[in-house]
Amino acid sequence: YEYSVCLFANVTQRRVNDRMRVGLGVWDRWEVSVNASSSSPQRLAFAMRFNDGDTCTGDSSRSADVRIACDAEDFRISNV
């Protein structure tokens, strides 16, 4: 799958060889937690929460969390 994130708008996915996109959710809110491990000092972990995406089988709508990792030297999207 190929994922597309439009920050503060929506998240979609599509199969690599397919044109049809599936909506995984629209921007809802930030989620913040403390990420602590024995190898690094405590730091905040941020996730962008996207809800109310296209419907799956059985009436439940899709959702996605886009986790963002930040430190002094690196900024990257770590997980969708």
Side-chain angles (χ1 to χ4, degrees):
Y1 289 96
E2 177 182 273
Y3 296 90
S4 176
V5 178
C6 185
L7 299 177
F8 305 104
N10 60 29
V11 177
T12 60
Q13 78 175 17
R14 72 176 181 91
R15 286 196 168 110
V16 175
N17 296 324
D18 193 349
R19 289 183 151 185
M20 189 177 98
R21 292 194 176 273
V22 175
L24 298 181
V26 294
W27 166 250
D28 184 24
R29 67 184 180 271
W30 282 106
E31 292 188 353
V32 181
S33 61
V34 176
N35 182 11
S37 70
S38 58
S39 63
S40 65
Q42 284 188 350
R43 61 181 178 183
L44 295 177
F46 298 93
M48 298 180 78
R49 181 73 177 159
F50 295 83
N51 287 320
D52 299 323
D54 290 343
T55 309
C56 294
T57 309
D59 295 332
S60 61
S61 60
R62 292 175 168 91
S63 63
D65 288 332
V66 177
R67 292 181 177 87
I68 300 172
C70 302
D71 62 31
E73 298 176 14
D74 190 21
F75 177 82
R76 68 190 189 305
I77 295 176
S78 61
N79 193 326
V80 176

